[in-house]
Amino acid sequence: MADRVHPMDIPSSSNPPSSNNSGEVVSPKKPSFPSPAKPVQPPAGTYVVQVPKDQIYKYPPPENSRRYESLTKRKPRRSCCCRCLCFTFSILLVLIISIGITAGVIYLVYRPEAPKYTISSIAIKNFNFTASSKISPEFDISVRAENPNNKIGIYYRKGSSVMVVYSGVDLSAGALPAFYQPANNVTVFQTALKGSNVILGNAVKSTLRNEQRKGKVPFRVNIKVPVKIKIGAVKTWKITVKVNCDVTVDALTVKSKLVSKDCDYSVRLW
């Protein structure tokens, strides 16, 4: 800031010059004024922007105020969505943890084991593929189901299906009986499967003749049954069990015997 300059008495120019004792004329001294302060230069690399005073607003322009209002209105919506998402994820996390803990407790208490299935015997009727082009074969199959669990029972529900297939051709179909299998139980149940007007191609008939002469005729038995698991006093929802067995018989007669059998199963929870 520049120094403040006080007014001082300036001798009038009309005063005559004074003379000293030696007779020399001495002119009056001119008043001295302080030199103005030099402007301070900004440091290198900086810019000074001067805005006219009439362009400085105390309130924002109308277009900026509308934009500000729109932004302020969006913020509560975003925060509300974030809260909803956080709340939903928290509930899901709690449910997952609860289900995991429950499953762990059930496993430790009941020690569940998978049931076992196999084909114990098979009898074949009306499999005369040399008489005509259409046949109606019948299969009497004995299925052995083992429940090795100590505290878990199995309810076999209605709506099951059993199918005998040879070389991609469905020969006979039937269903399993509905029953309850308690814990530590082995149940053997028989089911009668019937076919009607089954057509076999010449190639399939030729293959069957050769396999029957060798005493090894392969079939595939597909079993699909809905079940409910009883754990203590609680029953689960309906679960679908699929059993697929590859069996081989020595002949296509009532007294046929099993040469080999191999079964596996899968479970669909939903």
Side-chain angles (χ1 to χ4, degrees), residues 175-187:
L176 298 178
F179 67 98
Y180 171 72
Q181 186 177 26
N184 286 326
N185 177 264
V186 176
T187 302

Side-chain angles (χ1 to χ4, degrees), residues 159-216:
S160 63
S161 63
V162 184
M163 185 77 66
V164 177
V165 182
Y166 175 79
S167 187
V169 179
D170 297 338
L171 299 177
S172 299
L176 298 178
F179 67 98
Y180 171 72
Q181 186 177 26
N184 286 326
N185 177 264
V186 176
T187 302
V188 178
F189 48 89
Q190 293 184 347
T191 177
L193 311 179
K194 296 181 179 182
S196 177
N197 297 326
V198 179
I199 300 175
L200 300 177
N202 295 327
V204 175
K205 291 180 181 180
S206 177
T207 304
L208 275 172
R209 294 190 190 96
N210 294 332
E211 290 172 344
Q212 190 173 17
R213 280 195 294 266
K214 295 177 181 179
K216 293 182 179 180

Side-chain angles (χ1 to χ4, degrees), residues 106-211:
I106 291 175
Y107 179 80
L108 292 176
V109 173
Y110 293 96
R111 298 287 182 177
E113 297 183 27
K116 300 176 182 179
Y117 302 95
T118 187
I119 303 296
S120 58
S121 65
I122 184 170
I124 304 173
K125 305 175 184 178
N126 300 329
F127 209 108
N128 186 8
F129 54 85
T130 60
S132 63
S133 59
K134 296 181 180 180
I135 60 175
S136 298
E138 297 181 8
F139 291 80
D140 292 336
I141 297 178
S142 297
V143 182
R144 184 178 186 272
E146 178 182 357
N147 181 12
N149 296 281
N150 295 324
K151 301 178 181 180
I152 298 176
I154 302 176
Y155 286 92
Y156 290 87
R157 314 293 293 180
K158 294 181 180 180
S160 63
S161 63
V162 184
M163 185 77 66
V164 177
V165 182
Y166 175 79
S167 187
V169 179
D170 297 338
L171 299 177
S172 299
L176 298 178
F179 67 98
Y180 171 72
Q181 186 177 26
N184 286 326
N185 177 264
V186 176
T187 302
V188 178
F189 48 89
Q190 293 184 347
T191 177
L193 311 179
K194 296 181 179 182
S196 177
N197 297 326
V198 179
I199 300 175
L200 300 177
N202 295 327
V204 175
K205 291 180 181 180
S206 177
T207 304
L208 275 172
R209 294 190 190 96
N210 294 332
E211 290 172 344

Side-chain angles (χ1 to χ4, degrees), residues 9 11 14 175 225 254:
D9 296 335
S14 61
V225 55
V254 177

